[in-house]
Amino acid sequence: MTEPRETAFNSFLKDFAENVGKFHKGMEVLAGIRDENVDVGATPKTLVMRRDKVELFRYEPTAKRAVETPVLIVYGLMGRYTMADLQPDRSLVRSLLAKGIDLWLIDWGKPGRAERWLTMDDYVDDYIHEAVHRICRETGHDKVTLLGICQGGVFTTCYAALHPEKVKNLVLTITPIDFHADIDDPAAIQGLLNIWMRSLAPEDIDRMVDALGVIPGEFMSSIFSLMRPMDSLTKYNVDLFRIVDDKDRLMTFLRMEKWLADRPDHPGAAGRQWLKELYQENRLVEDRFELSGRIVHLRAIDMPVLNIFALNDHIIPPACSKALGGKIGSTDYKEVPLPYGHVGLFVSSNSQDKLIKIIPEWLRARDS
């Protein structure tokens, strides 16, 4: 039965008044927030080494040491490590520290045109290699555990293959290995980025890098936004409105937006390798990817490997991560698929308990 017109109008007026009140309360909350209040990557850490714009940090311990082997977090160049340390209750970093892990971090800084000639060779065989040696000198260990995230996982995979004598364990999260594994995947939405990357004309990639020296962070931000256009269109006028009067939820929203907006430029030479040799030519999984004059053979990875990926990842399709299992030389290999998205794996309140249980337990079992 249709609601009488007068009653429906009164209901509309009531809802409108409530929404106006919510909006005004939200504006009062927003008015009291400053940029310094939206703190990301705030877990205390000490600078240990700086080379060029790259910095090595050691996090301050918060619990009794439970895993002796130091763990080095390596994030990618297309974003900032702060995703893994968004806020106290959504922080992989804080959770690992609470489990007694000696945690280190490489911060790539913000490359610009001056870094246009830096290649993946430099990042893997120079910056990561020097960081590993420094950690070993500081701690007295002869090996470290590498924890790679996304593109950083590709860096750590390459390092583990080229320098297996320095790597105790390899932990990978949302890491692409076979960049063409999604081609026959019926869930095409999970491979839109791969499809777009493969469709780029190699000469267009060269033109952009030659002209700008970098792959601009703003450019990649727009690409990621276009992958989920409805989410991008509605988050400010629908999602934000729903939470604007709840300060805790609003701060989580703002921290996510701050991380999304803080996307550095990608060094040009490394970008060419990333787009052309990996996304387009798929050299890594085919044992054709070369760094510093040496082929990266995945079969050389003989240490324990933990491979965690997200089943709902729209940036790195699960098939691209799973491909690692049949390529490495190690017999101690574990895959952990989790029902989250690319970012949700790290910032979802539901994923924290699972992720922080899996990694420390796996490391403790191999910490002889």
Side-chain angles (χ1 to χ4, degrees):
M1 182 176 179
T2 305
E3 189 175 9
R5 181 179 297 274
E6 183 177 351
T7 304
F9 184 66
N10 288 340
S11 178
F12 164 76
L13 289 177
K14 180 181 178 182
D15 291 343
F16 180 76
E18 289 178 355
N19 286 333
V20 169
K22 182 176 183 179
F23 178 78
H24 281 294
K25 182 179 178 181
M27 291 304 98
E28 291 176 1
V29 173
L30 277 172
I33 298 174
R34 298 292 180 268
D35 180 66
E36 57 268 22
N37 302 133
V38 188
D39 51 343
V40 293
T43 302
K45 55 187 180 293
T46 301
L47 177 64
V48 175
M49 181 182 73
R50 179 186 290 117
R51 290 193 60 189
D52 306 322
K53 292 182 179 178
V54 179
E55 296 177 325
L56 174 67
F57 290 94
R58 188 178 195 176
Y59 283 100
E60 297 179 11
T62 62
K64 182 181 178 181
R65 186 73 52 79
V67 176
E68 290 300 322
T69 305
V71 175
L72 174 62
I73 295 178
V74 181
Y75 199 78
L77 292 166
M78 290 189 178
R80 297 276 286 154
Y81 72 90
T82 48
M83 183 183 76
D85 189 24
L86 193 70
Q87 62 187 40
D89 63 336
R90 297 169 190 254
S91 171
L92 176 65
V93 167
R94 288 181 185 250
S95 297
L96 291 175
L97 290 171
K99 294 292 185 178
I101 292 176
D102 183 13
L103 204 57
W104 299 68
L105 167 78
I106 283 185
D107 181 359
W108 303 122
K110 295 191 175 182
R113 190 174 175 84
E115 285 72 43
R116 63 183 301 168
W117 305 117
L118 289 179
T119 62
M120 288 180 63
D121 312 49
D122 296 307
Y123 284 98
V124 172
D125 266 336
D126 187 354
Y127 295 129
I128 292 179
H129 196 47
E130 182 60 28
V132 168
H133 278 277
R134 182 60 179 265
I135 293 170
C136 290
R137 288 199 299 270
E138 294 279 340
T139 63
H141 289 270
D142 58 355
K143 295 184 179 183
V144 305
T145 290
L146 296 177
L147 197 169
I149 301 175
C150 194
Q151 185 187 37
V154 176
F155 290 177
T156 56
T157 297
C158 292
Y159 185 85
L162 295 174
H163 304 278
E165 74 284 354
K166 301 302 296 182
V167 183
K168 172 79 170 177
N169 306 292
L170 177 62
V171 180
L172 301 177
T173 58
I174 52 174
T175 297
I177 298 297
D178 184 343
F179 288 76
H180 291 182
D182 62 296
I183 290 178
D184 297 323
D185 193 333
I189 189 172
Q190 289 186 316
L192 290 178
L193 182 65
N194 293 24
I195 293 170
W196 178 76
M197 295 286 200
R198 289 193 293 262
S199 71
L200 294 174
E203 57 269 23
D204 287 339
I205 297 173
D206 291 333
R207 289 189 186 102
M208 176 171 59
V209 173
D210 290 342
L212 304 175
V214 297
I215 300 175
E218 295 88 347
F219 174 68
M220 290 309 305
S221 289
S222 68
I223 297 302
F224 289 130
S225 295
L226 289 172
M227 291 177 63
R228 304 184 74 169
M230 288 307 298
D231 288 348
S232 300
L233 285 171
T234 60
K235 67 178 178 179
Y236 296 125
N237 53 20
V238 177
D239 299 341
L240 179 58
F241 187 78
R242 288 174 181 159
I243 63 169
V244 72
D245 62 335
D246 184 328
K247 187 171 183 179
D248 289 340
R249 295 177 67 192
L250 177 60
M251 290 301 294
T252 298
F253 179 90
L254 293 176
R255 289 189 180 102
M256 270 299 303
E257 290 304 298
K258 188 169 186 176
W259 172 73
L260 287 169
D262 186 19
R263 194 171 295 282
D265 295 335
H266 194 295
R272 287 188 214 262
Q273 292 170 287
W274 182 249
L275 295 178
K276 296 167 73 172
E277 297 183 17
L278 296 181
Y279 266 99
Q280 296 190 340
E281 300 173 17
N282 204 26
R283 293 188 185 186
L284 178 60
V285 77
E286 297 177 359
D287 284 342
R288 296 188 296 115
F289 188 52
E290 183 178 309
L291 293 178
S292 304
R294 294 170 294 166
I295 297 294
V296 178
H297 291 290
L298 296 179
R299 189 62 60 184
I301 297 175
D302 58 1
M303 71 290 302
V305 177
L306 175 63
N307 188 11
I308 302 172
F309 51 89
L311 291 173
N312 301 319
D313 196 330
H314 71 292
I315 294 177
I316 308 297
C320 297
S321 298
K322 290 183 66 175
L324 179 68
K327 298 293 181 179
I328 61 175
S330 175
T331 57
D332 187 351
Y333 173 77
K334 182 176 182 179
E335 281 183 5
V336 181
L338 294 176
Y340 303 102
H342 188 78
V343 177
L345 183 67
F346 293 92
V347 303
S348 167
S349 58
N350 295 326
S351 68
Q352 291 294 309
D353 290 342
K354 293 182 180 179
L355 200 60
I356 201 51
K357 180 180 180 182
I358 294 165
I359 296 176
E361 286 185 358
W362 187 86
L363 289 176
R364 279 196 296 269
R366 289 153 183 82
D367 196 49
S368 57

